[in-house]
Amino acid sequence: MATLIIAVIIGIFFIFGIKHMLMTSKEGCCSTGDHIEKIKPEDPDKKHYPYTTSFTVQDMHCANCATKISNALNKQKDTMASINLSKKEVTVFTKQEPHINTITSAIHQAGYSCQLK
């Protein structure tokens, strides 16, 4: 009888594990289930941004993560973000000299940790 109970418990964990794996393969690691709408910068022309700062974001794992970070930065005035998910890198273009604390704060508020490159 105890063996049967243990087998049922293992089966339940197995089913939840498969369900989670299928969700993350379709939706990314965030598994929000929703498509996150991208926020575009006011000025999309990189030539208008003389300052460039790069950050490493190790806990950025999927397109949803990248969109959340990009949106947090693109909301800021005179700021544009470019994300390289495979390198876990965020490049921030600014029209004025960058305020590192403001940029890192925006990334942290989006739920991610970052490190200046």
Side-chain angles (χ1 to χ4, degrees):
M1 184 66 172
T3 306
L4 179 62
I5 293 172
I6 292 171
V8 169
I9 292 171
I10 291 172
I12 290 170
F13 281 117
F14 181 75
I15 290 169
F16 280 112
I18 295 294
K19 182 179 175 187
H20 178 71
M21 183 183 72
L22 292 173
M23 285 179 64
T24 58
S25 68
K26 290 181 198 171
E27 301 162 358
C29 65
C30 298
S31 298
T32 61
D34 298 326
H35 174 71
I36 300 172
E37 196 68 35
K38 288 187 178 183
I39 296 173
K40 296 182 181 182
E42 291 177 12
D43 181 4
D45 189 352
K46 286 184 185 179
K47 295 176 194 171
H48 298 157
Y49 296 90
Y51 299 97
T52 304
T53 311
S54 293
F55 296 87
T56 302
V57 182
Q58 287 298 323
D59 48 353
M60 177 174 57
H61 301 290
C62 70
N64 283 343
C65 296
T67 301
K68 288 178 186 178
I69 294 168
S70 179
N71 286 350
L73 295 167
N74 286 340
K75 286 180 189 176
Q76 296 183 8
K77 183 174 173 55
D78 297 332
T79 303
M80 181 174 69
S82 175
I83 309 288
N84 185 326
L85 185 57
S86 63
K87 291 184 179 180
K88 297 183 182 258
E89 182 176 290
V90 177
T91 303
V92 182
F93 302 93
T94 55
K95 291 184 177 181
Q96 287 84 32
E97 194 160 332
H99 297 278
I100 303 301
N101 290 339
T102 304
I103 296 169
T104 57
S105 177
I107 295 171
H108 290 160
Q109 286 178 355
Y112 301 89
S113 58
C114 64
Q115 187 173 5
L116 188 62
K117 269 189 116 179

